[in-house]
Amino acid sequence: MFYREAGQFKTNYAADMAVFPILQDKIGIAIILALALVVIPLVGNAFFLSVVMIPFLVFALASIGLNLLTGYTGLLSLGTAGFMGVGAFACYKLTTIFPEVNIIVWIFASGLFSAAVGVFFGLPSLRIKGFYLAVATLAAQFFLQWCFIRIPWLYNYNVSGAIEVPTRTLFGIPVTGPNASPEMRYYVVLGLVILLTWIASNLVHGRIGRSWMAVRDMDIAAELMGIKLLPTKLLAFAVSSFYCGVAGALMVFLWYGGAEPEVFSINQSFLILFMVIIGGLGSLIGSFFGAALIYILPIVLRGAPSLVGLDIGAATVEHLTFMIVGALIIVFLIVEPHGLARLWQTGKQKLRVWPFPY
């Protein structure tokens, strides 16, 4: 009875096409933002912010980037981790060459470098698609990972061969490096994720998003309707790679504090792809659901035995975590192949008409 649209009349097309057409949706978003901006930093400790919330937001942003390409445009990519690595190494080089420039500027600029690389490797998308395109992006993943290891200039010829994040400040407060507090790093990541999610929402609900979805549904029909396939697909690769590049820079500079090239391996690409599939293809909120299920749920399961007083070995807990998460993924895919986002939409629709079944 609390989630109804009765009495909420639309008087113009803009209100009818709004992303959140019901007042309760807007209130729900406001509550979520209040929890993220106020409650979590006040209640959560440094461990919770650094180990749970910051990685969750980074993975959610990377999932949004891949979802724009795979979910909205229908172009399968297995090079997500490689594009994240481009963003991380580009941000590292830029901030070491120009240390006086604000680190936020270089985080966004690193996304532009990743977008350029994504456009280059997206050129075959005009001729091939499906598994053939996946193989092409897989080749991009292996090539970029080889570059991260074999080109010493990218990591400033460090003996360790890794990125060593320097201390950078924002308004005089350290946001990267060993002196940065978890609260400050969390706020920076949260602000960037909120901004980029809002931009992605406007993209997918506008002309560009409709063009992407037309190409996804049937590219030949989209071309007959006047949509130019090459610019549309390359734009999808560029925007997706930009988001992945920013996520990679956030991962290294505001989460890890340093990283080796192995961080951007093929396993990372598959992990983010699983988040997108489980959360729901073609859904921004599904990217957050998928990141929560794949990353946060194992952390909860690892800590559950100690909370209830069970004395179980760490290795056993790890094995049980893999088994439970894998079983839940299979169950979710069987119950709803379109992901957790579809379950969320179905639940909201049932609330709108409750107690009636239609």
Side-chain angles (χ1 to χ4, degrees), residues 3 10 18 41 66 76 82 99 131 136 148 162 185 187 218 220 227 229 268 313 322 338 356:
Y3 191 75
K10 310 297 190 300
L66 181 60
L76 183 60
F131 290 108
F148 302 152
R185 291 186 287 115
Y187 273 120
M218 185 174 291
I220 297 177
I227 297 176
L229 295 184
Q268 192 79 278
F322 279 114
H338 296 287
F356 304 104

Side-chain angles (χ1 to χ4, degrees), residues 106-146:
W106 291 142
I107 289 175
F108 280 108
S110 65
L112 297 177
F113 282 88
S114 183
V117 175
V119 168
F120 176 77
F121 286 106
L123 288 173
S125 64
L126 184 63
R127 296 291 183 182
I128 57 178
K129 57 183 178 180
F131 290 108
Y132 299 99
L133 181 60
V135 172
T137 56
L138 185 63
Q141 165 69 38
F142 290 136
F143 173 75
L144 291 174
Q145 191 175 355
W146 178 87

Side-chain angles (χ1 to χ4, degrees), residues 33-55:
L33 291 178
L35 290 174
L37 291 170
V38 180
V39 177
I40 290 179
L42 291 178
V43 176
N45 54 21
F47 174 84
F48 180 74
L49 294 178
S50 300
V51 178
V52 178
M53 290 307 302
I54 292 178

Side-chain angles (χ1 to χ4, degrees), residues 229-259:
L229 295 184
L230 182 60
T232 303
K233 291 182 178 182
L234 291 184
L235 180 61
F237 265 99
V239 176
S240 172
S241 301
F242 175 84
Y243 274 70
C244 293
V246 172
L250 293 178
M251 174 183 286
V252 173
F253 278 75
L254 295 169
W255 175 16
Y256 286 150

